[in-house]
Amino acid sequence: MRLPRPPSPRVRPRQPSQRAKETGRRDVLLIERWPGLGTIPRVPLVDTPTPVTHLEGVSARAGTAVYAKRDDATAERYGGNKVRKLEWLLGDAREKGARSIVTVGGYGSHHCLATAIYGAQEGFEVHAVLFPQPSSPHVSEVKRAMIAAGAKVTTVRTAAAVPFAIAKKVARLKIGGASPYLIGPGGSTPIGTLGYVAAGVELARQIDEGEIPEPAAIFLAAGSGGTASGLAIGLAAAGLVTPIVAVRVTGPLAINGPTLSRLVQNTVSLIRFHDGRFPIVANEAVRAIVIDGRHRGPAYGASTGAGEHATSLAGGDDLRLDPTYTAKAFAALLDAARDQTYDGPLLFVSTLSSAPFGPLLTNALG
């Protein structure tokens, strides 16, 4: 559905930052359109725009047109949705004078792996507090890559022990003068969510330019809510309100209507503090998000039969899924296609890195 499109402010093209000149990356469309956001610290990491592709094999099997926003290719070294958030989180950490990063996730956390890789690249010492999740070769591979990237890992026996472990870690780093910066699960703070506001504006332009048709619904995996919240804000700001099906893979306390509403409201407030020309779209964004908790399985990280089927089907179009997140979101999309829940093409946001793991494991021990 189209909203009346807010007028784009007429501004002179911004000169690229020194970092953008060095990396060859240009400033994100979000900043070009609302230049006040250029005052928010950011470390350019993402190769934008990420492509959108037609999944021909899946479309033939599903009986409806299915497309993918290939955020698995956000960066060559290691992609996925977390890289978009880290651009802003690491920029904020640097601005605050931090020397170390403390974050949290499961044993196979892609967020912790991405933080380890790009935190070290930007000169931070990265500490990860990890809680248990069902074991699999993929989980073990992610944990090994995390350690190979230089992360200092602390494991706890239960998720309930995480807050104490983080508090202890932060206190020790402060005493040692390491100036820690804390990034919560998934990096889903208003600062981190800016990464997917940018992605939403980027996707809206790709739709406007005819790279893909306007989708009837967008499907993505939701662990902490930042990806869904940011995407909804960015699309609404560009005048496009499309149902965003946030397929919940964590418990209902981690992601629910009130938590997403707060994150959306706080993110829009942050944006408008820096650029008052950004439209007031929080209510539209919240209404666009549909939480689907039917595919979580018996526990966080547990694989499901529907997810395994989705993985097999997506593989025919060279789309790689993981059992914890993306397989469940793709299974929800296939259910919607089968049940004809939405009248029109469906879009899947591919958030699992497609970069090869071999180079990441080169220095792994064990």
PDB file of all heavy atoms in Angstrom, residues 261-294:
ATOM      1  N   SER A 261       6.908  -1.990  19.359  1.00  0.00           N
ATOM      2  CA  SER A 261       6.360  -0.633  19.312  1.00  0.00           C
ATOM      3  C   SER A 261       7.311   0.369  19.952  1.00  0.00           C
ATOM      4  O   SER A 261       7.558   1.452  19.404  1.00  0.00           O
ATOM      5  CB  SER A 261       5.002  -0.591  20.017  1.00  0.00           C
ATOM      6  OG  SER A 261       4.465   0.708  19.994  1.00  0.00           O
ATOM      7  N   ARG A 262       7.878   0.005  21.102  1.00  0.00           N
ATOM      8  CA  ARG A 262       8.831   0.901  21.777  1.00  0.00           C
ATOM      9  C   ARG A 262      10.065   1.127  20.916  1.00  0.00           C
ATOM     10  O   ARG A 262      10.565   2.257  20.811  1.00  0.00           O
ATOM     11  CB  ARG A 262       9.234   0.328  23.139  1.00  0.00           C
ATOM     12  CG  ARG A 262       8.208   0.521  24.230  1.00  0.00           C
ATOM     13  CD  ARG A 262       8.807   0.247  25.597  1.00  0.00           C
ATOM     14  NE  ARG A 262       9.280  -1.114  25.739  1.00  0.00           N
ATOM     15  CZ  ARG A 262       8.520  -2.139  26.130  1.00  0.00           C
ATOM     16  NH1 ARG A 262       7.235  -1.941  26.395  1.00  0.00           N
ATOM     17  NH2 ARG A 262       9.022  -3.343  26.252  1.00  0.00           N
ATOM     18  N   LEU A 263      10.565   0.040  20.313  1.00  0.00           N
ATOM     19  CA  LEU A 263      11.765   0.176  19.491  1.00  0.00           C
ATOM     20  C   LEU A 263      11.495   1.082  18.283  1.00  0.00           C
ATOM     21  O   LEU A 263      12.316   1.941  17.946  1.00  0.00           O
ATOM     22  CB  LEU A 263      12.245  -1.205  19.033  1.00  0.00           C
ATOM     23  CG  LEU A 263      13.520  -1.237  18.183  1.00  0.00           C
ATOM     24  CD1 LEU A 263      14.678  -0.572  18.905  1.00  0.00           C
ATOM     25  CD2 LEU A 263      13.876  -2.681  17.812  1.00  0.00           C
ATOM     26  N   VAL A 264      10.355   0.904  17.652  1.00  0.00           N
ATOM     27  CA  VAL A 264      10.005   1.756  16.510  1.00  0.00           C
ATOM     28  C   VAL A 264       9.881   3.212  16.946  1.00  0.00           C
ATOM     29  O   VAL A 264      10.451   4.117  16.320  1.00  0.00           O
ATOM     30  CB  VAL A 264       8.697   1.265  15.858  1.00  0.00           C
ATOM     31  CG1 VAL A 264       8.176   2.298  14.854  1.00  0.00           C
ATOM     32  CG2 VAL A 264       8.913  -0.065  15.152  1.00  0.00           C
ATOM     33  N   GLN A 265       9.135   3.449  18.024  1.00  0.00           N
ATOM     34  CA  GLN A 265       8.931   4.822  18.487  1.00  0.00           C
ATOM     35  C   GLN A 265      10.254   5.487  18.857  1.00  0.00           C
ATOM     36  O   GLN A 265      10.513   6.648  18.491  1.00  0.00           O
ATOM     37  CB  GLN A 265       7.985   4.820  19.702  1.00  0.00           C
ATOM     38  CG  GLN A 265       6.581   4.320  19.433  1.00  0.00           C
ATOM     39  CD  GLN A 265       5.699   5.323  18.725  1.00  0.00           C
ATOM     40  OE1 GLN A 265       6.058   6.486  18.567  1.00  0.00           O
ATOM     41  NE2 GLN A 265       4.524   4.884  18.289  1.00  0.00           N
ATOM     42  N   ASN A 266      11.102   4.756  19.580  1.00  0.00           N
ATOM     43  CA  ASN A 266      12.381   5.335  20.000  1.00  0.00           C
ATOM     44  C   ASN A 266      13.319   5.578  18.830  1.00  0.00           C
ATOM     45  O   ASN A 266      14.095   6.551  18.817  1.00  0.00           O
ATOM     46  CB  ASN A 266      13.043   4.424  21.040  1.00  0.00           C
ATOM     47  CG  ASN A 266      12.312   4.400  22.359  1.00  0.00           C
ATOM     48  OD1 ASN A 266      11.524   5.297  22.663  1.00  0.00           O
ATOM     49  ND2 ASN A 266      12.539   3.366  23.156  1.00  0.00           N
ATOM     50  N   THR A 267      13.260   4.703  17.829  1.00  0.00           N
ATOM     51  CA  THR A 267      14.118   4.887  16.660  1.00  0.00           C
ATOM     52  C   THR A 267      13.677   6.108  15.848  1.00  0.00           C
ATOM     53  O   THR A 267      14.515   6.914  15.419  1.00  0.00           O
ATOM     54  CB  THR A 267      14.109   3.626  15.775  1.00  0.00           C
ATOM     55  OG1 THR A 267      14.540   2.496  16.560  1.00  0.00           O
ATOM     56  CG2 THR A 267      15.040   3.785  14.579  1.00  0.00           C
ATOM     57  N   VAL A 268      12.371   6.256  15.646  1.00  0.00           N
ATOM     58  CA  VAL A 268      11.878   7.432  14.915  1.00  0.00           C
ATOM     59  C   VAL A 268      12.207   8.705  15.687  1.00  0.00           C
ATOM     60  O   VAL A 268      12.599   9.728  15.092  1.00  0.00           O
ATOM     61  CB  VAL A 268      10.366   7.311  14.649  1.00  0.00           C
ATOM     62  CG1 VAL A 268       9.812   8.616  14.078  1.00  0.00           C
ATOM     63  CG2 VAL A 268      10.088   6.155  13.689  1.00  0.00           C
ATOM     64  N   SER A 269      12.088   8.667  17.008  1.00  0.00           N
ATOM     65  CA  SER A 269      12.443   9.846  17.811  1.00  0.00           C
ATOM     66  C   SER A 269      13.911  10.199  17.654  1.00  0.00           C
ATOM     67  O   SER A 269      14.275  11.380  17.532  1.00  0.00           O
ATOM     68  CB  SER A 269      12.116   9.589  19.289  1.00  0.00           C
ATOM     69  OG  SER A 269      10.730   9.454  19.482  1.00  0.00           O
ATOM     70  N   LEU A 270      14.780   9.184  17.660  1.00  0.00           N
ATOM     71  CA  LEU A 270      16.215   9.424  17.454  1.00  0.00           C
ATOM     72  C   LEU A 270      16.466  10.064  16.096  1.00  0.00           C
ATOM     73  O   LEU A 270      17.231  11.035  15.979  1.00  0.00           O
ATOM     74  CB  LEU A 270      16.977   8.096  17.561  1.00  0.00           C
ATOM     75  CG  LEU A 270      18.460   8.133  17.162  1.00  0.00           C
ATOM     76  CD1 LEU A 270      19.260   8.958  18.153  1.00  0.00           C
ATOM     77  CD2 LEU A 270      19.022   6.711  17.058  1.00  0.00           C
ATOM     78  N   ILE A 271      15.835   9.536  15.074  1.00  0.00           N
ATOM     79  CA  ILE A 271      16.041  10.063  13.724  1.00  0.00           C
ATOM     80  C   ILE A 271      15.584  11.518  13.638  1.00  0.00           C
ATOM     81  O   ILE A 271      16.292  12.386  13.110  1.00  0.00           O
ATOM     82  CB  ILE A 271      15.288   9.201  12.695  1.00  0.00           C
ATOM     83  CG1 ILE A 271      15.898   7.794  12.621  1.00  0.00           C
ATOM     84  CG2 ILE A 271      15.311   9.854  11.314  1.00  0.00           C
ATOM     85  CD1 ILE A 271      15.079   6.814  11.806  1.00  0.00           C
ATOM     86  N   ARG A 272      14.406  11.792  14.170  1.00  0.00           N
ATOM     87  CA  ARG A 272      13.857  13.143  14.065  1.00  0.00           C
ATOM     88  C   ARG A 272      14.624  14.140  14.929  1.00  0.00           C
ATOM     89  O   ARG A 272      14.627  15.341  14.644  1.00  0.00           O
ATOM     90  CB  ARG A 272      12.369  13.129  14.422  1.00  0.00           C
ATOM     91  CG  ARG A 272      11.516  12.531  13.296  1.00  0.00           C
ATOM     92  CD  ARG A 272      10.035  12.558  13.621  1.00  0.00           C
ATOM     93  NE  ARG A 272       9.574  13.878  14.024  1.00  0.00           N
ATOM     94  CZ  ARG A 272       9.324  14.881  13.200  1.00  0.00           C
ATOM     95  NH1 ARG A 272       9.493  14.724  11.879  1.00  0.00           N
ATOM     96  NH2 ARG A 272       8.904  16.039  13.665  1.00  0.00           N
ATOM     97  N   PHE A 273      15.288  13.667  15.964  1.00  0.00           N
ATOM     98  CA  PHE A 273      16.149  14.544  16.752  1.00  0.00           C
ATOM     99  C   PHE A 273      17.285  15.076  15.888  1.00  0.00           C
ATOM    100  O   PHE A 273      17.700  16.234  16.013  1.00  0.00           O
ATOM    101  CB  PHE A 273      16.707  13.787  17.960  1.00  0.00           C
ATOM    102  CG  PHE A 273      17.691  14.582  18.773  1.00  0.00           C
ATOM    103  CD1 PHE A 273      17.264  15.507  19.707  1.00  0.00           C
ATOM    104  CD2 PHE A 273      19.067  14.407  18.600  1.00  0.00           C
ATOM    105  CE1 PHE A 273      18.172  16.252  20.448  1.00  0.00           C
ATOM    106  CE2 PHE A 273      19.983  15.137  19.336  1.00  0.00           C
ATOM    107  CZ  PHE A 273      19.525  16.068  20.266  1.00  0.00           C
ATOM    108  N   HIS A 274      17.776  14.222  14.990  1.00  0.00           N
ATOM    109  CA  HIS A 274      18.894  14.621  14.127  1.00  0.00           C
ATOM    110  C   HIS A 274      18.440  15.276  12.829  1.00  0.00           C
ATOM    111  O   HIS A 274      19.196  16.055  12.243  1.00  0.00           O
ATOM    112  CB  HIS A 274      19.768  13.401  13.830  1.00  0.00           C
ATOM    113  CG  HIS A 274      20.562  12.937  15.005  1.00  0.00           C
ATOM    114  ND1 HIS A 274      21.783  13.488  15.342  1.00  0.00           N
ATOM    115  CD2 HIS A 274      20.296  11.999  15.946  1.00  0.00           C
ATOM    116  CE1 HIS A 274      22.233  12.894  16.432  1.00  0.00           C
ATOM    117  NE2 HIS A 274      21.353  11.986  16.818  1.00  0.00           N
ATOM    118  N   ASP A 275      17.248  14.937  12.366  1.00  0.00           N
ATOM    119  CA  ASP A 275      16.721  15.571  11.153  1.00  0.00           C
ATOM    120  C   ASP A 275      15.195  15.627  11.259  1.00  0.00           C
ATOM    121  O   ASP A 275      14.515  14.628  11.015  1.00  0.00           O
ATOM    122  CB  ASP A 275      17.144  14.804   9.892  1.00  0.00           C
ATOM    123  CG  ASP A 275      16.931  15.628   8.630  1.00  0.00           C
ATOM    124  OD1 ASP A 275      15.913  16.351   8.556  1.00  0.00           O
ATOM    125  OD2 ASP A 275      17.777  15.569   7.709  1.00  0.00           O
ATOM    126  N   GLY A 276      14.687  16.803  11.605  1.00  0.00           N
ATOM    127  CA  GLY A 276      13.253  16.975  11.819  1.00  0.00           C
ATOM    128  C   GLY A 276      12.423  16.850  10.567  1.00  0.00           C
ATOM    129  O   GLY A 276      11.185  16.804  10.643  1.00  0.00           O
ATOM    130  N   ARG A 277      13.063  16.763   9.389  1.00  0.00           N
ATOM    131  CA  ARG A 277      12.315  16.587   8.150  1.00  0.00           C
ATOM    132  C   ARG A 277      11.906  15.141   7.922  1.00  0.00           C
ATOM    133  O   ARG A 277      11.109  14.855   7.021  1.00  0.00           O
ATOM    134  CB  ARG A 277      13.144  17.102   6.968  1.00  0.00           C
ATOM    135  CG  ARG A 277      13.317  18.614   6.960  1.00  0.00           C
ATOM    136  CD  ARG A 277      14.347  19.053   5.944  1.00  0.00           C
ATOM    137  NE  ARG A 277      15.687  18.590   6.317  1.00  0.00           N
ATOM    138  CZ  ARG A 277      16.784  18.896   5.634  1.00  0.00           C
ATOM    139  NH1 ARG A 277      16.697  19.651   4.547  1.00  0.00           N
ATOM    140  NH2 ARG A 277      17.967  18.461   6.029  1.00  0.00           N
ATOM    141  N   PHE A 278      12.456  14.227   8.700  1.00  0.00           N
ATOM    142  CA  PHE A 278      12.067  12.819   8.567  1.00  0.00           C
ATOM    143  C   PHE A 278      10.600  12.697   8.964  1.00  0.00           C
ATOM    144  O   PHE A 278      10.185  13.212  10.003  1.00  0.00           O
ATOM    145  CB  PHE A 278      12.946  11.943   9.459  1.00  0.00           C
ATOM    146  CG  PHE A 278      12.808  10.464   9.191  1.00  0.00           C
ATOM    147  CD1 PHE A 278      13.584   9.857   8.223  1.00  0.00           C
ATOM    148  CD2 PHE A 278      11.897   9.686   9.897  1.00  0.00           C
ATOM    149  CE1 PHE A 278      13.467   8.497   7.962  1.00  0.00           C
ATOM    150  CE2 PHE A 278      11.772   8.329   9.651  1.00  0.00           C
ATOM    151  CZ  PHE A 278      12.561   7.736   8.677  1.00  0.00           C
ATOM    152  N   PRO A 279       9.781  12.008   8.162  1.00  0.00           N
ATOM    153  CA  PRO A 279       8.342  11.963   8.449  1.00  0.00           C
ATOM    154  C   PRO A 279       8.015  11.197   9.729  1.00  0.00           C
ATOM    155  O   PRO A 279       8.742  10.295  10.141  1.00  0.00           O
ATOM    156  CB  PRO A 279       7.761  11.262   7.222  1.00  0.00           C
ATOM    157  CG  PRO A 279       8.898  10.500   6.628  1.00  0.00           C
ATOM    158  CD  PRO A 279      10.136  11.298   6.925  1.00  0.00           C
ATOM    159  N   ILE A 280       6.901  11.560  10.346  1.00  0.00           N
ATOM    160  CA  ILE A 280       6.428  10.894  11.568  1.00  0.00           C
ATOM    161  C   ILE A 280       5.656   9.649  11.139  1.00  0.00           C
ATOM    162  O   ILE A 280       4.457   9.716  10.832  1.00  0.00           O
ATOM    163  CB  ILE A 280       5.553  11.839  12.404  1.00  0.00           C
ATOM    164  CG1 ILE A 280       6.330  13.124  12.733  1.00  0.00           C
ATOM    165  CG2 ILE A 280       5.103  11.158  13.691  1.00  0.00           C
ATOM    166  CD1 ILE A 280       5.480  14.197  13.384  1.00  0.00           C
ATOM    167  N   VAL A 281       6.351   8.513  11.113  1.00  0.00           N
ATOM    168  CA  VAL A 281       5.761   7.291  10.547  1.00  0.00           C
ATOM    169  C   VAL A 281       5.733   6.132  11.538  1.00  0.00           C
ATOM    170  O   VAL A 281       5.507   4.990  11.147  1.00  0.00           O
ATOM    171  CB  VAL A 281       6.522   6.848   9.272  1.00  0.00           C
ATOM    172  CG1 VAL A 281       6.335   7.853   8.149  1.00  0.00           C
ATOM    173  CG2 VAL A 281       8.007   6.627   9.567  1.00  0.00           C
ATOM    174  N   ALA A 282       5.953   6.421  12.819  1.00  0.00           N
ATOM    175  CA  ALA A 282       6.047   5.327  13.786  1.00  0.00           C
ATOM    176  C   ALA A 282       4.777   4.488  13.820  1.00  0.00           C
ATOM    177  O   ALA A 282       4.834   3.250  13.841  1.00  0.00           O
ATOM    178  CB  ALA A 282       6.365   5.876  15.174  1.00  0.00           C
ATOM    179  N   ASN A 283       3.626   5.130  13.841  1.00  0.00           N
ATOM    180  CA  ASN A 283       2.373   4.370  13.923  1.00  0.00           C
ATOM    181  C   ASN A 283       2.170   3.494  12.697  1.00  0.00           C
ATOM    182  O   ASN A 283       1.758   2.330  12.802  1.00  0.00           O
ATOM    183  CB  ASN A 283       1.186   5.318  14.097  1.00  0.00           C
ATOM    184  CG  ASN A 283       1.180   5.989  15.454  1.00  0.00           C
ATOM    185  OD1 ASN A 283       1.775   5.490  16.414  1.00  0.00           O
ATOM    186  ND2 ASN A 283       0.508   7.120  15.561  1.00  0.00           N
ATOM    187  N   GLU A 284       2.451   4.042  11.513  1.00  0.00           N
ATOM    188  CA  GLU A 284       2.324   3.250  10.287  1.00  0.00           C
ATOM    189  C   GLU A 284       3.279   2.068  10.295  1.00  0.00           C
ATOM    190  O   GLU A 284       2.928   0.956   9.877  1.00  0.00           O
ATOM    191  CB  GLU A 284       2.593   4.130   9.059  1.00  0.00           C
ATOM    192  CG  GLU A 284       1.543   5.179   8.783  1.00  0.00           C
ATOM    193  CD  GLU A 284       1.789   6.471   9.550  1.00  0.00           C
ATOM    194  OE1 GLU A 284       2.665   6.477  10.442  1.00  0.00           O
ATOM    195  OE2 GLU A 284       1.121   7.475   9.245  1.00  0.00           O
ATOM    196  N   ALA A 285       4.499   2.289  10.782  1.00  0.00           N
ATOM    197  CA  ALA A 285       5.497   1.214  10.821  1.00  0.00           C
ATOM    198  C   ALA A 285       5.073   0.109  11.775  1.00  0.00           C
ATOM    199  O   ALA A 285       5.202  -1.087  11.463  1.00  0.00           O
ATOM    200  CB  ALA A 285       6.851   1.780  11.217  1.00  0.00           C
ATOM    201  N   VAL A 286       4.572   0.484  12.944  1.00  0.00           N
ATOM    202  CA  VAL A 286       4.138  -0.523  13.916  1.00  0.00           C
ATOM    203  C   VAL A 286       2.998  -1.362  13.346  1.00  0.00           C
ATOM    204  O   VAL A 286       2.982  -2.597  13.475  1.00  0.00           O
ATOM    205  CB  VAL A 286       3.717   0.147  15.238  1.00  0.00           C
ATOM    206  CG1 VAL A 286       3.007  -0.853  16.157  1.00  0.00           C
ATOM    207  CG2 VAL A 286       4.930   0.737  15.946  1.00  0.00           C
ATOM    208  N   ARG A 287       2.060  -0.703  12.699  1.00  0.00           N
ATOM    209  CA  ARG A 287       0.914  -1.441  12.139  1.00  0.00           C
ATOM    210  C   ARG A 287       1.332  -2.381  11.017  1.00  0.00           C
ATOM    211  O   ARG A 287       0.652  -3.384  10.746  1.00  0.00           O
ATOM    212  CB  ARG A 287      -0.142  -0.458  11.625  1.00  0.00           C
ATOM    213  CG  ARG A 287      -0.926   0.232  12.734  1.00  0.00           C
ATOM    214  CD  ARG A 287      -2.178   0.896  12.177  1.00  0.00           C
ATOM    215  NE  ARG A 287      -1.861   2.002  11.275  1.00  0.00           N
ATOM    216  CZ  ARG A 287      -1.764   3.261  11.657  1.00  0.00           C
ATOM    217  NH1 ARG A 287      -1.950   3.583  12.939  1.00  0.00           N
ATOM    218  NH2 ARG A 287      -1.490   4.205  10.783  1.00  0.00           N
ATOM    219  N   ALA A 288       2.433  -2.078  10.347  1.00  0.00           N
ATOM    220  CA  ALA A 288       2.876  -2.919   9.229  1.00  0.00           C
ATOM    221  C   ALA A 288       3.470  -4.250   9.697  1.00  0.00           C
ATOM    222  O   ALA A 288       3.506  -5.215   8.932  1.00  0.00           O
ATOM    223  CB  ALA A 288       3.904  -2.173   8.386  1.00  0.00           C
ATOM    224  N   ILE A 289       3.936  -4.327  10.942  1.00  0.00           N
ATOM    225  CA  ILE A 289       4.643  -5.523  11.415  1.00  0.00           C
ATOM    226  C   ILE A 289       3.656  -6.564  11.948  1.00  0.00           C
ATOM    227  O   ILE A 289       2.831  -6.281  12.814  1.00  0.00           O
ATOM    228  CB  ILE A 289       5.663  -5.162  12.503  1.00  0.00           C
ATOM    229  CG1 ILE A 289       6.670  -4.141  11.977  1.00  0.00           C
ATOM    230  CG2 ILE A 289       6.389  -6.422  12.986  1.00  0.00           C
ATOM    231  CD1 ILE A 289       7.590  -3.583  13.048  1.00  0.00           C
ATOM    232  N   VAL A 290       3.768  -7.771  11.422  1.00  0.00           N
ATOM    233  CA  VAL A 290       2.950  -8.907  11.858  1.00  0.00           C
ATOM    234  C   VAL A 290       3.887  -9.939  12.478  1.00  0.00           C
ATOM    235  O   VAL A 290       4.786 -10.449  11.802  1.00  0.00           O
ATOM    236  CB  VAL A 290       2.200  -9.540  10.667  1.00  0.00           C
ATOM    237  CG1 VAL A 290       1.363 -10.724  11.136  1.00  0.00           C
ATOM    238  CG2 VAL A 290       1.340  -8.502   9.956  1.00  0.00           C
ATOM    239  N   ILE A 291       3.719 -10.246  13.750  1.00  0.00           N
ATOM    240  CA  ILE A 291       4.574 -11.234  14.416  1.00  0.00           C
ATOM    241  C   ILE A 291       3.984 -12.625  14.219  1.00  0.00           C
ATOM    242  O   ILE A 291       2.815 -12.870  14.528  1.00  0.00           O
ATOM    243  CB  ILE A 291       4.711 -10.931  15.921  1.00  0.00           C
ATOM    244  CG1 ILE A 291       5.339  -9.552  16.128  1.00  0.00           C
ATOM    245  CG2 ILE A 291       5.558 -12.007  16.610  1.00  0.00           C
ATOM    246  CD1 ILE A 291       5.383  -9.121  17.588  1.00  0.00           C
ATOM    247  N   ASP A 292       4.780 -13.535  13.700  1.00  0.00           N
ATOM    248  CA  ASP A 292       4.372 -14.929  13.484  1.00  0.00           C
ATOM    249  C   ASP A 292       5.266 -15.820  14.340  1.00  0.00           C
ATOM    250  O   ASP A 292       6.456 -15.980  14.047  1.00  0.00           O
ATOM    251  CB  ASP A 292       4.505 -15.284  12.002  1.00  0.00           C
ATOM    252  CG  ASP A 292       4.064 -16.711  11.686  1.00  0.00           C
ATOM    253  OD1 ASP A 292       3.782 -17.477  12.633  1.00  0.00           O
ATOM    254  OD2 ASP A 292       4.001 -17.056  10.481  1.00  0.00           O
ATOM    255  N   GLY A 293       4.707 -16.381  15.402  1.00  0.00           N
ATOM    256  CA  GLY A 293       5.486 -17.225  16.305  1.00  0.00           C
ATOM    257  C   GLY A 293       5.277 -18.713  16.111  1.00  0.00           C
ATOM    258  O   GLY A 293       5.715 -19.518  16.935  1.00  0.00           O
ATOM    259  N   ARG A 294       4.664 -19.112  14.998  1.00  0.00           N
ATOM    260  CA  ARG A 294       4.302 -20.525  14.811  1.00  0.00           C
ATOM    261  C   ARG A 294       5.464 -21.415  14.406  1.00  0.00           C
ATOM    262  O   ARG A 294       5.358 -22.637  14.479  1.00  0.00           O
ATOM    263  CB  ARG A 294       3.205 -20.626  13.745  1.00  0.00           C
ATOM    264  CG  ARG A 294       1.891 -19.943  14.124  1.00  0.00           C
ATOM    265  CD  ARG A 294       0.938 -19.934  12.949  1.00  0.00           C
ATOM    266  NE  ARG A 294       1.489 -19.181  11.837  1.00  0.00           N
ATOM    267  CZ  ARG A 294       0.975 -19.210  10.600  1.00  0.00           C
ATOM    268  NH1 ARG A 294      -0.055 -19.984  10.338  1.00  0.00           N
ATOM    269  NH2 ARG A 294       1.520 -18.474   9.633  1.00  0.00           N
TER     270      ARG A 294
END
